[in-house]
């Protein structure tokens, strides 16, 4: 456990503390009165209000749209179900920059909506809300649907036999059992939308700003570290509260239900109602998830003869010091290194947390491992530049700085993927091997490794996908001669001109294809089909 603790202390807690202290401290004196001063500003109150309001609206809209799909995946069996499950999950692993770019191609200037009906939504909050539903649809489908598929349907059938109507049976039997999963999914969606960065930065323009976007603006454009530090503390407190409630809902879900094999609860659709619901879900997936990505690909092909893709091989000396296509190989190299780091750190943390004698302190560390997903990545990235610029950890000029930042985001996914599998390993197998004289290393190699090998591959795939798309921290620390794909897309979108816009669409398409390929491979590796992450 020492290595995971040291990793998160050095590369998460220290940079965040360093940049926060830099903003709240001047002339060697702490100025905590700046907290009230910053929070009393009308523009900051507007940012706080919009951040909270859009997160609540995005969460409610996501639940409304995705819950029917959760039932379809849980209770119905139909051809192409596994492919559809992968399609639904693709948006979740896409970088937020790609999601913002896809919706910009759909609802922005010259987008599909403007071409067909003369309507633009890129300067309205609706574009942000729809992009958030697109991004978080899979969170609800797989979290709620995974549990729903394991609920014994005979309990609801028994209520029906005792005279309850279908609605009453669902409300009094199924809904209470699903409540912890629905709450957990809602909290995760709220967390991701509350800390939204790439989507809001691209679609919000100067009108709309979340806490994360405002931290970025105050840090990189206004150079007001005090305001950025205060907003970081506010976001840190909010994320901590959300994760605490989420951990409580997860414990309720794990201990309060009797579950069955999900493979025996799904049946072929019966009756016009079930077929209609399946058709509605397929239509929703096609319009909400597939259409934006299709428009993104179409816009990348607007230039004759793959002109935008060919332009990626040329360095113009303005936006990049190298050809934009170089960002593809750079991103792959960084993501592979970050995956290796995340896999080692996450696997060790999961092994420690899976021990039967893990106490309250360990459970608290489990919740802390999720903090990098919610705490400002912008703060982490700028904190890297502030904290890691002196010996013995002078890494500002090292290429390894980017994989370290990306691994912070990938490690929680490794823990969440491997922890349930490690907890399911029968401790008697380890004890029997130890009694027969096996060393701890051999016990792990002969007992644990064969059981968790496939889960390790799935964890590595998720870590690779999220590392490939990390943007908030990387935008600060990626070197001009080695930009990552998300950073390259953002830079191209920030420059005027049709060629830059088309190149951004082309790079986003490449990034989408790589992430989708990784996810499809993960679906083939999965042994459980409950649908949970």
């Amino acid at each position: 456990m020492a290595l995971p603790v040291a990793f998160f202390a050095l590369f998460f807690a220290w940079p965040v503390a360093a940049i926060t202290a830099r903003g709240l401290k001047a002339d060697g004196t702490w100025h905590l009165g700046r907290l009230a001063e910053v929070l009393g500003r009308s523009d900051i109150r507007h940012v706080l209000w919009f951040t909270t309001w859009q997160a609540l609206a995005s969460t409610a809209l996501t639940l409304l749209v995705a819950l029917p799909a959760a039932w379809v995946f849980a209770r119905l069996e139909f051809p192409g179900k596994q492919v559809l499950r992968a399609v639904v999950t693709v948006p979740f692993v896409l970088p937020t920059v790609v999601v913002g770019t896809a919706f910009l191609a759909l609802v922005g200037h010259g987008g599909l909506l403007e071409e067909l009906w003369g309507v633009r939504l890129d300067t309205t909050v609706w574009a942000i809300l729809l992009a958030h539903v697109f991004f978080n649809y899979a969170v609800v489908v797989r979290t709620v649907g995974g549990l729903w598929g394991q609920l014994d349907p005979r309990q609801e059938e028994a209520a029906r036999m005792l005279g309850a109507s279908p609605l009453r049976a669902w409300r009094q039997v199924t809904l209470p059992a699903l409540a912890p999963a629905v709450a957990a999914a809602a909290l995760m969606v709220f967390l991701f939308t509350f800390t939204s960065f790439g989507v809001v930065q691209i679609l919000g323009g100067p009108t709309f700003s979340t806490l994360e976007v405002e931290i970025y603006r105050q840090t990189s454009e206004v150079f007001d570290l005090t305001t950025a530090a205060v907003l970081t503390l506010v976001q840190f407190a909010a994320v901590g509260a959300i994760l605490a409630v989420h951990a409580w809902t997860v414990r309720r879900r794990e201990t309060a239900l009797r579950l069955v094999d999900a493979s025996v609860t799904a049946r072929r659709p019966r009756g016009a109602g079930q077929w209609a619901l399946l058709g509605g879900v397929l239509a929703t997936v096609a319009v909400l998830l597939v259409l934006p990505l299709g428009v993104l690909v179409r816009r990348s092909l607007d230039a004759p003869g793959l002109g935008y893709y060919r332009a990626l091989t040329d360095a113009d000396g303005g936006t990049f010091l190298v050809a934009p296509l170089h960002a593809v190989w750079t991103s792959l190299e960084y993501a592979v290194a970050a995956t290796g780091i995340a896999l080692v750190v996450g696997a060790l943390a999961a092994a420690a947390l899976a021990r039967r004698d893990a106490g309250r302190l360990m459970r608290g560390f489990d919740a802390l491992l999720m903090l990098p997903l919610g705490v400002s990545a912008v703060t982490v990235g700028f904190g890297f530049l502030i904290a890691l610029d002196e010996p013995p950890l002078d890494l500002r000029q090292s290429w390894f700085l980017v994989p370290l930042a990306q691994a912070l985001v990938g490690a929680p996914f490794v823990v969440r993927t491997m922890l349930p599998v490690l907890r399911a390993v029968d401790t008697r197998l380890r004890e029997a091997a130890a009694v027969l004289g096996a060393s701890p290393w051999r016990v792990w190699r002969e007992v644990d490794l064969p059981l968790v090998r496939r889960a390790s591959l799935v964890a590595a795939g998720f870590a690779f996908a999220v590392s490939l798309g990390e943007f908030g921290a990387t935008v600060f620390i990626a070197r001009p001669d080695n930009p990552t794909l998300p950073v390259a897309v953002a830079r191209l979108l920030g420059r005027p001109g049709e060629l830059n816009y088309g190149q951004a669409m082309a790079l986003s398409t490449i990034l989408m294809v790589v992430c989708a390929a990784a996810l499809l491979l993960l679906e083939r590796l999965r042994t459980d089909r409950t649908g949970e992450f």
Side-chain angles (χ1 to χ4, degrees), residues 1 349-355 358 362-363 365-366 369 415 419 423:
M1 195 62 185
L353 293 169
R355 294 177 55 181
M362 280 292 189
R363 290 195 295 271
F365 183 70
D366 187 14
L369 290 174
V415 175
L419 187 56
R423 282 176 173 166

Side-chain angles (χ1 to χ4, degrees), residues 45-384:
R45 290 201 304 269
H46 176 74
V47 169
L48 292 171
W49 164 246
F50 176 74
T51 301
T52 306
W53 176 86
Q54 64 82 25
L56 289 171
S58 297
T59 302
L61 192 58
T62 304
L63 289 174
L64 179 66
V65 174
L67 282 176
W71 183 88
V72 165
F73 278 103
R75 294 302 192 209
L76 298 185
E77 190 64 47
F78 51 91
K81 182 177 179 179
Q82 297 306 326
V83 174
L84 184 63
R85 191 193 305 275
V87 170
V88 165
T89 312
V90 165
F92 179 73
V93 300
L94 286 179
T96 55
V97 170
V98 173
V99 175
T101 307
F103 273 83
L104 194 64
L106 178 64
V107 304
H109 176 64
L112 183 64
L113 290 186
E114 188 175 29
E115 288 182 10
L116 296 179
W117 297 293
V119 176
R120 287 180 60 184
L121 297 177
D122 59 324
T123 56
T124 72
V125 72
W126 277 107
I128 296 173
L129 296 182
L130 290 175
H132 284 162
V133 174
F134 171 93
F135 187 75
N136 294 291
Y137 188 86
V139 176
V140 177
V141 169
R142 300 189 69 132
T143 302
V144 179
L147 179 64
W148 209 334
Q150 293 179 284
L151 293 181
D152 192 343
R154 293 174 296 183
Q155 298 176 0
E156 189 172 327
E157 293 169 0
R160 295 280 304 278
M161 292 181 63
L162 293 175
S165 65
L167 179 60
R168 184 179 179 185
W170 181 83
R171 189 177 69 248
Q172 295 186 349
V173 177
T174 304
L175 183 58
L178 283 177
V182 174
L187 285 167
M188 290 309 298
V189 173
F190 183 84
L191 174 64
F192 290 138
T193 53
F194 187 85
T195 59
S196 181
F197 177 49
V199 167
V200 179
Q201 186 187 36
I202 291 175
L203 297 176
T207 307
F208 302 107
S209 179
T210 57
L211 272 173
E212 185 80 354
V213 173
E214 192 62 26
I215 291 171
Y216 174 76
R217 289 177 180 171
Q218 296 293 333
T219 302
S220 64
E221 298 176 9
V222 184
F223 304 108
D224 185 351
L225 293 186
T226 298
T227 300
V230 171
L231 296 182
T232 296
L233 291 176
V234 171
Q235 185 167 309
F236 188 86
V239 168
I242 294 169
L243 291 178
V245 178
H246 179 266
W248 176 73
T249 60
V250 169
R251 285 196 297 272
R252 283 190 61 196
R253 183 176 58 177
E254 291 177 346
T255 59
L257 301 175
R258 187 185 69 182
L259 306 178
V260 297
D261 185 356
S263 63
V264 303
T265 63
R267 302 174 181 175
R268 292 187 63 83
R270 292 177 297 179
Q274 292 187 0
W275 281 106
L277 184 58
L278 175 59
V281 168
L282 292 176
T284 300
V285 171
V287 174
L288 182 64
L289 305 186
V290 178
L291 180 61
L293 299 181
V295 173
L296 173 65
V297 176
R298 173 179 169 265
R299 291 302 303 270
S300 73
L301 298 173
D302 277 351
L306 300 177
Y308 292 143
Y309 288 91
R310 292 205 313 271
L312 296 178
T313 61
D314 300 325
D316 61 4
T319 309
F320 303 101
L321 299 179
V322 294
L325 193 62
H326 181 74
V328 176
W329 313 118
T330 300
S331 290
L332 291 175
E333 292 173 355
Y334 284 157
V336 169
T339 300
I341 299 170
L343 197 58
V344 171
V345 173
L348 290 174
L353 293 169
R355 294 177 55 181
R356 304 294 180 182
D357 56 349
R360 183 173 298 179
L361 183 61
M362 280 292 189
R363 290 195 295 271
F365 183 70
D366 187 14
L368 290 176
L369 290 174
M370 297 289 289
L371 279 177
L373 295 181
V375 171
S376 172
V378 171
T379 301
V380 174
F382 198 41
F384 268 40

